[in-house]
Amino acid sequence: SATPLSISCWSGGAVPEVRIDTLCLALHRPGTDGEALAAALRAHEPPVVARLQEGRVLLDFRTLFEHDLPDVAAAVATLCGA
């Protein structure tokens, strides 16, 4: 499910406190907690790196390239039954 705007950190290093608005997709797989779903996404080929926030698995669209979307969609469909 899409979340309202979320907050993402710009980077570490010189500006670790700079936060920007972003849009995320919250993922859920019945019977699986967030840690296990995030691990399954990372183990997928190709790996998909998501953010864990308050136990939710979030795909941050700010961090995805358009050419990655088919692979991300395939991973989500496989792991979440979408």
Side-chain angles (χ1 to χ4, degrees):
S1 64
T3 67
L5 283 178
S6 184
I7 302 295
S8 183
C9 293
W10 179 257
S11 71
V15 287
E17 298 300 318
V18 174
R19 301 187 189 290
I20 56 174
D21 291 338
T22 187
L23 181 66
C24 294
L25 179 68
L27 302 178
H28 174 73
R29 181 167 65 174
T32 304
D33 68 11
E35 293 279 343
L37 179 53
L41 286 165
R42 288 190 306 271
H44 193 269
E45 187 56 47
V48 176
V49 179
R51 185 169 87 216
L52 276 171
Q53 184 174 325
E54 299 175 5
R56 296 186 308 164
V57 177
L58 302 177
L59 288 178
D60 186 340
F61 287 102
R62 185 182 66 82
T63 66
L64 298 172
F65 292 107
E66 187 174 345
H67 65 268
D68 293 328
L69 294 180
D71 289 331
V72 172
V76 171
T78 297
L79 297 172
C80 298

